[in-house]
Amino acid sequence: MIREQEDQAWMQLAIEEAKKAEQIGEVPIGAILVKDGEVVGKGYNLREINHDPTAHAEMVAIREACERLGAWRLLDCTLYVTLEPCPMCAGAIVQSRVKRVVYGTGDPKAGCAGTLMNLLQEPRFNHETEVTSGILQAECAALLTNFFRNLRNKRK
Ligand SMILES: [Zn+2]
């Protein structure tokens, strides 16, 4: 229970990142990396502005944390992300040895942390990650549904 409250507080920060993406017209997805009770990396989706299909929130946060920590291994880090990681981000999470992933809402079209497949807990890989899902699920999902609803309304 205490861990769940802690998870919710960190997820709230990931939601703040997602809102920054929304403000610049990007799909609102945000992520933060936490180590020893401290934020060591954060990011939000920058795919459109950077013209970069790899600029997902998780990738941005992982790059920032690695730079800050001066390491490619994020062994004691927990990644909080509003949307379930896609195959690319799940791959980067495994490569960077992130200890634990907490995500808000599942992604039926790309989720690779349990929905379509589970790349974070594949015993044939050399690293497996703890996974917790559904933290502030309604808030994380609402960010996306509101964003796409507004987009549709603008196009009318
Ligand atoms: Zn991704």
Side-chain angles (χ1 to χ4, degrees):
M1 188 59 209
I2 286 165
R3 183 155 100 154
E4 189 173 341
Q5 284 168 355
E6 223 175 277
D7 283 346
Q8 287 175 353
W10 292 121
M11 186 62 80
Q12 198 59 53
L13 295 182
I15 289 173
E16 295 309 314
E17 289 301 303
K19 286 179 179 166
K20 291 181 194 170
E22 184 168 32
Q23 279 161 12
I24 54 171
E26 298 274 0
V27 177
I29 302 163
I32 62 160
L33 270 155
V34 175
K35 183 181 181 176
D36 302 329
E38 195 190 337
V39 176
V40 292
K42 52 189 182 172
Y44 50 90
N45 180 28
L46 287 167
R47 198 168 50 174
E48 303 290 341
I49 284 180
N50 287 5
H51 302 147
D52 180 357
T54 74
H56 288 189
E58 301 95 310
M59 303 294 284
V60 175
I62 286 171
R63 285 198 185 102
E64 187 177 296
C66 288
E67 198 166 310
R68 175 151 173 192
L69 299 172
W72 60 266
R73 286 186 192 86
L74 299 175
L75 287 170
D76 298 314
C77 294
T78 298
L79 176 78
Y80 292 86
V81 58
T82 56
L83 181 68
E84 183 180 0
C86 75
M88 171 184 68
C89 293
I93 288 162
V94 172
Q95 291 303 323
S96 57
R97 314 285 192 263
V98 169
K99 185 173 187 238
R100 181 170 175 246
V101 168
V102 180
Y103 68 85
T105 194
D107 184 354
K109 288 185 180 154
C112 282
T115 296
L116 298 182
M117 54 184 85
N118 192 346
L119 296 176
L120 298 182
Q121 295 177 315
E122 167 51 63
R124 289 173 294 176
F125 288 160
N126 60 355
H127 178 77
E128 286 183 62
T129 306
E130 288 172 50
V131 179
T132 302
S133 63
I135 299 294
L136 300 184
Q137 191 272 337
E139 290 91 328
C140 292
L143 279 171
L144 293 164
T145 47
N146 293 338
F147 176 81
F148 287 112
R149 187 191 304 129
N150 291 339
L151 208 61
R152 279 194 301 273
N153 289 341
K154 270 182 216 158
R155 281 181 185 152
K156 268 178 198 164

